[in-house]
Amino acid sequence: MAMAAPTGSAALCGHLALLLLLLLAAPAALGYSFPQQHTMQYWARRLEQEIDGVMRIFGGVQQLRGIYNENRNLFEVKENVPRKLVEKVAGDIESLLAKKVRALKRLANAAEKFQKAHHWQDNIREEDIEYYDSKADTEYDDPDGEEIEREKSNSLKLEFTDDANFKTKVNYSYAAVQIPTDIYKGSTVILNELNWTQALEDVFIENRKEDPSLLWQVFGSATGVTRYYPATPWRAPNKIDLYDVRRRPWYIQGASSPKDMVIIVDVSGSVSGLTLKLMKTSVYEMLDTLSDDDYVNVASFNEKAKPVSCFKHLVQANIRNKKVFKEDVQGMVAKGTTDYKAGFEYAFDQLQNSNITRANCNKMIMMFTDGGEDRVQDVFEKYNWPNKTVRVFTFSVGQHNYDVTPLQWMACANKGYYFEIPSIGAIRINTQEYLDVLGRPMVLAGNRAKQVQWTNVYQDALGLGLVVTGTLPVFNLTEDSSDRKNQLILGVMGIDVALNDIKKLTPRYNLGANGYVFAIDLNGYVLLHPNLQPQIINFREPVTLDFLDAELEDENKEEIRRSMIDGNDGQRFIKTLIKSLDEQYIDEVFRTYTWAPIKSTNYSLGLVLPPYSTYYIQANLSDQILQVKYFEYLLPNSFESEGHVFIAPREYCKDLDLSDNNTEFLENFIALMEKVTPDSKQCDNFLLHNLILDTGITQQLVERVWKDQDLNTYSLLAVFAATDGGITRVFPNKAADDWEEEPEPFNASFYRRSLDNKGYIFKPPYRDAGYRGLDLENNTIGILVSTAVELSIGGKTLKPAVVGVKLDLEAWAEKFKVLASNRTDRDQLGTRRCDPSSSCEMDCEANNKDLICVLIDDGGFLVLSNQEDHWYQVGKFFSEVDANLMSALYNNSFYARKESYDFQSVCAPEAQSNTGAAPRGVFVPTVADLLNLAWWTSAAAWSLFQQFLYGLTYSSWFQTEDVTADSMEARETSCIMKQTQYYFSTVNATYNAIIDCGNCSRLFHAQRLANTNLLFVVADKPLCSQCESVKLLQAEVRAPPRDPNQCELVDRPRYRKGPHICFDYNATEDTSDCGRGASFAPSLGVLLSLQLLLLYSSASRHPLPPAACL
């Protein structure tokens, strides 16, 4: 432990106690004592003066202020008015989305008209239909790596051309069709669907003519058919394509109102082996039909019912909660006897709990069982009749001879549906078709239910990147012979909007490096935010990053988020914590948050501005001669004399080719500028004029300051200046070879931190814990020191630039030892002598074998040390260097710690057991099937025959042992990373303490260096290893299972709102269609491979191969 020394008005005995500790802890070296506090404060002042002197001479802050004032006629100071900016951007986004809504409504109305006019054809054949099958030319591998023979196709043969808007090859003359692999495309239902949806192509084309900026226009049919425009080949995964539009979040959102769902699973003794595994997989697939607007709980029951997880009530069906369910469902064990009453009473109690947040719309119970005789009518009479506000869906799972009549009765008596799941191949379809039932009240509500909804952010399946989708349900308007209205939903129409197109409507560079625009939806998830950067693409779930996870959460931000979700506008000036761009540091800053709703949408827009970004510079270089003069300083032939120039890779002009290589980008920029002027209409005049102005201003800094100084005298490797205009000038030119900072100042951590912090900001090169160092003789290590240039022009304060120096580590480490020593300028090294008759204080130079002296920055990273073996560790978190001392600094409140989670990371899959619970089902044909001649030629018969052959070959095939998962590919998966940052707390500037460890105790002194982000620490070297402390961790690590603790988080859910409309009841609903066990015939060539793939997927306990969102 570390004990603080008394200060201020403490009693005299306190001072004597500290003196005694100092004497006891003095090293064995005769005649030396630990330096006194006033001595160390003197060293600190010398260090402060040296740093300030170097920065005043070489930084050129004062000179740069003068240069800006002298060139005052070349720019204007403009003001950012937050409320006006938010109002304008929100209006622009509203207009953009409104254009998409018009196209969406046109498509939905046309689809309903086309389907109503369509005449059903019982004898329709595949060759009667002409369409482009997007998967016709796609090759798949089966789970064993062998190529699967493609089915014969009558697909149109199209030619495609590259299109920059879609980032792929497209054909604007046709739409494309995608049919799920497990649906037989020759089915009469599918062929009729293809027939009437073909007329949509003309509407797609007309929409594009009216709005050429339209991206994917998609119709997702309730039969599983997807027709999208323009045509492009399907982006197939490595394995069999399992994409089904009906399982995509945008389809689910458009096809039904929000849901409160309780899933109950029969785990009685009769449910064992294969049947239990089928149930687990069914629950897994059922959870995937839920979105963030839904609420769910899962329970198992035999004689009693209990939740399968730690969730005691309905919870939001978000990604993290569903993951908990999926993991815990695997732990269900079959035993005991079946009591349906226990299961249903538990489910109804869950749905009647009004003290929790929930969807408050569709209420339903999904029961999975192998069969039973009890109808539990008394339970339904007590909880659900006569209003029948809860729908009951029953699923008969596995192959058995039980009477299914009770299960059918339960569903039919409670406005639900009965399904059969005899084998694994039936799971996906039968766990999603309940949505047709939920869609009935929407269809019967007619135009009132035709509400455009906008989705969460997700990855587009066809390569557009991050998108949102506007959705609109499409209804069946046909009537039967009795003039009864049809109550089936035809599907969902969707139109994509790329996030980049929305970002283009938001201001960027006039907001400064630390200003930004963001937007959130009713769940509090961000639609726009600079920290919205998902690391994994083509995953199945939408990108759901909460605003409070995108930033560091505090009470102010919680209130701002709530106000935005409520659709209010507002403004608030707050003090808050932010992470640095490199996520190594925490800064306490001031920000103004301004927000307003985006009308006609579920979104709200926010703007964040630091105080110094209220004003910004807008260059006005009307003098073309001056333009040419300044532009010449961008040419490489000027670098040797004027320093190397990096220009920010911004979109200065439409025809400018971007490049990650800054030298190449500069060449492209110069080549374009020889053809166009900065005032050209194809260029962004604001960006170009500011860039050229800053080129000239930084060149004047070179002439007035840098050229006249000898950098070697002060052991400097480089001097530099970076500006809001996008210029980074590094002097001398050779220093650019070792320049590792981002050429875009707004993306450079040193730049952004310098704006938010006063004084001189030190930034050592980051080294992780495993770094072993370089040969210092052949590799020069530099430490950046930077500071912002603050201007005051006409009472308006702004920070348009950052200047700094790059220190030579080795030379400054020697200088550091001298400055933190008792040697004066007249002293020579080694002239001081101490003997037993005279006591001398140790210092950092003469006594570096006994005394550790270090400079640590505000993130806890080592910057300088008097220990030569520390030099290669500069840039490491100090706990990796001296865990004992860093712990003492943290325990004595020099540092505070902030822990947070990154929910957007990607990780290699964790090592698992080579076995998994893989459900294995064998389809058993009914008597009707056996008597049907057509069945014997169907894919189902072929599948059964294949499984029979496998059973003869492998005796374990029909058993219920686990299936090995060795052949599954190791895929990167989304994961949660835990981040820890340290930052200065608000303690006194100076502090003495002892690390009490018995005979191994250590004294230390710590003091903040004024006007810097440095902590000066002097400590005894550890005398023995008995005083070792637990090492503080700073590096990002993968969060342990259940961290953060979802079980606790769901009891304090974040504020959210669901859709403002609900369609869960209609008095005219016909509930007579309430049960069956069959679905479309599967596709001939791929059924077995699909079955195998599903088995393998389940065995690995990973999600099914990702079919990215469309």
Side-chain angles (χ1 to χ4, degrees), residues 707-737:
K707 277 188 176 180
D708 296 334
Q709 303 294 340
D710 181 7
L711 271 62
N712 293 327
T713 302
Y714 288 86
S715 305
L716 303 182
L717 299 175
V719 288
F720 60 90
T723 71
D724 275 0
I727 290 294
T728 302
R729 190 180 291 274
V730 180
F731 185 88
N733 183 39
K734 65 179 181 179
D737 296 339

Side-chain angles (χ1 to χ4, degrees), residues 497-689:
V497 179
L499 242 57
N500 283 336
D501 289 342
I502 300 178
K503 286 180 183 177
K504 290 175 183 176
L505 302 176
T506 64
R508 176 66 184 100
Y509 298 106
N510 60 298
L511 302 181
N514 290 317
Y516 57 92
V517 171
F518 70 98
I520 66 172
D521 64 14
L522 294 179
N523 277 303
Y525 299 146
V526 293
L527 162 74
L528 298 174
H529 198 286
N531 293 335
L532 178 63
Q533 298 175 353
Q535 299 301 305
I536 187 168
I537 60 173
N538 286 344
F539 53 96
R540 302 175 72 195
E541 300 91 355
V543 181
T544 52
L545 178 66
D546 196 284
F547 169 64
L548 297 178
D549 294 323
E551 305 197 358
L552 292 177
E553 182 175 357
D554 60 36
E555 290 184 3
N556 284 315
K557 291 176 184 175
E558 286 181 17
E559 293 172 6
I560 291 169
R561 177 182 176 276
R562 176 183 285 266
S563 178
M564 293 178 73
I565 290 173
D566 286 339
N568 301 322
D569 55 18
Q571 187 174 72
R572 182 175 293 191
F573 182 71
I574 67 172
K575 181 166 71 172
T576 187
L577 297 178
I578 64 168
K579 289 182 193 176
S580 63
L581 195 64
D582 56 14
E583 300 185 327
Q584 306 299 330
Y585 299 91
I586 294 285
D587 290 315
E588 189 175 58
V589 300
F590 290 96
R591 294 288 189 264
T592 297
Y593 281 73
T594 309
W595 62 94
I598 302 173
K599 297 176 182 177
S600 303
T601 73
N602 297 329
Y603 303 133
S604 183
L605 186 78
L607 170 67
V608 181
L609 269 186
Y612 50 80
S613 290
T614 302
Y615 300 98
Y616 64 95
I617 285 176
Q618 180 173 301
N620 181 21
L621 297 177
S622 56
D623 186 342
Q624 294 188 355
I625 296 176
L626 191 62
Q627 287 182 15
V628 173
K629 177 184 176 182
Y630 283 179
F631 178 75
E632 288 178 350
Y633 297 129
L634 281 175
L635 302 179
N637 59 18
S638 69
F639 290 177
E640 197 58 42
S641 60
E642 311 300 330
H644 192 100
V645 174
F646 297 92
I647 67 171
R650 302 174 181 175
E651 295 184 23
Y652 300 101
C653 298
K654 292 180 181 177
D655 295 334
L656 178 59
D657 293 329
L658 299 179
S659 173
D660 293 332
N661 183 301
N662 201 255
T663 301
E664 182 179 323
F665 179 70
L666 180 59
E667 291 173 354
N668 296 342
F669 177 80
I670 293 171
L672 183 62
M673 288 297 100
E674 292 174 349
K675 301 175 184 177
V676 302
T677 68
D679 298 311
S680 171
K681 290 184 178 180
Q682 67 160 297
C683 297
D684 187 320
N685 303 139
F686 171 75
L687 290 183
L688 266 181
H689 279 252

Side-chain angles (χ1 to χ4, degrees), residues 259-261 293-296 314-317 357-359 1056:
K259 302 174 280 294
D260 286 324
M261 177 187 290
D293 289 332
D294 303 321
Y295 283 74
V296 65
L314 291 170
V315 297
Q316 188 181 14
T357 305
R358 56 183 188 176
R1056 66 173 295 274

Side-chain angles (χ1 to χ4, degrees), residues 36-48 989-991 1005 1007 1009 1016:
Q36 297 183 46
Q37 182 170 330
H38 68 83
T39 301
M40 292 179 282
Q41 289 174 338
Y42 168 67
W43 295 345
R45 286 195 297 273
R46 290 177 68 177
L47 289 167
E48 293 164 359
T990 184
Y991 203 78
H1005 169 86
Q1007 177 162 340
L1009 294 190
F1016 175 41

